[in-house]
Structures are given as structure tokens and as C-alpha cells.
Amino acid sequence: VHLEESGGGEVRAGGSLRLSCAASGNIFDGDNVAWFRQAPGKDHEFVAAISWSGDKTYYHDSVKGRFTISIDSAKTTVDLQMNSLKPEDTAVYVCALDILSSDGSHAYDRYDFTGRGTQVTVSS
């Protein structure tokens, strides 16, 4: 399995960014793909997750109503649309895969594969 993030950048508060996670390899409907973020000096924080089948989504309370996770019909990318960005959203965003589990776990250590991350910076 290979995961590669793209789409990070710098934006002013209130702006939007769309992150993409290109996923390849043996991934099945029972698996779960999530976005985590890590701010400097902090642990990885769960942001959102989606089952590979696309029928279940999960969000951290802090991003509900602002972020949307989706999977394309070809099942090659998992996107995270981020609107109404705030300075506290600044972090490295990492895509992660949890094999044989679509329960949207918030535990970063549960995930079997991760990408290298993409930086998101929101200025005030």
C-alpha cells in the first residue's frame, strides 16, 4: 500500500484548501482511510475518516460543518475539503489506512500505513 498526500499550502483565515491522498495497493471495502494532523509539539489528532466503500464517514467535532472527506468513484484518491479555515487548523496533515476496520478509529497507532504528510498553514 502506498499513500501520498498533496494539496497543502498557506491560506488566510476563512479560506479553503483541498487535500488529496492518492492511494494504491491492496485496499478493500472493509478498510478505513483517515486524515490526521500534527501541530508542532503535539500528538497526532484525528480529523476525519471514511470507509473505503464510501458509505461511512467520521469527523472530529472541531471540523464538523467545515471539512468534508470523500472518495472518488475510481477509488484512487481520498480528498479532504477544508473550508472556513482557522489558524488552529495549522498542522502537517497525514493520510492513514486502517486495514479491515471501517469504524473510523481516532487512534493513530491503530493505522497500518501512513503517508509523509502535507503542510497546511492558516494565517490570521
Side-chain angles (χ1 to χ4, degrees):
V1 173
H2 182 71
L3 305 172
E4 185 167 351
E5 304 90 342
S6 62
E10 185 168 351
V11 65
R12 299 191 70 171
S16 299
L17 282 174
R18 188 176 184 89
L19 305 183
S20 290
C21 173
S24 59
N26 294 325
I27 307 174
F28 303 97
D29 284 350
D31 300 338
N32 183 73
V33 176
W35 284 95
F36 286 82
R37 63 188 180 188
Q38 186 176 31
K42 295 188 177 181
D43 291 334
H44 285 91
E45 177 186 51
F46 174 83
V47 176
I50 188 167
S51 59
W52 193 246
S53 61
D55 61 347
K56 299 178 184 177
T57 57
Y58 310 87
Y59 295 94
H60 190 277
D61 286 346
S62 65
V63 306
K64 282 182 181 177
R66 300 190 298 126
F67 292 9
T68 303
I69 191 169
S70 62
I71 184 168
D72 71 320
S73 57
K75 292 188 177 181
T76 58
T77 62
V78 174
D79 291 343
L80 185 68
Q81 177 67 42
M82 305 186 297
N83 299 327
S84 302
L85 282 161
K86 305 175 182 180
E88 52 263 44
D89 294 319
T90 295
V92 174
Y93 283 69
V94 178
C95 178
L97 172 70
D98 187 5
I99 295 175
L100 293 178
S101 176
S102 58
D103 63 358
S105 172
H106 290 208
Y108 184 72
D109 290 346
R110 271 269 305 270
Y111 287 75
D112 302 285
F113 297 92
T114 59
R116 298 182 67 177
T118 185
Q119 176 70 45
V120 171
T121 302
V122 184
S123 59
S124 58

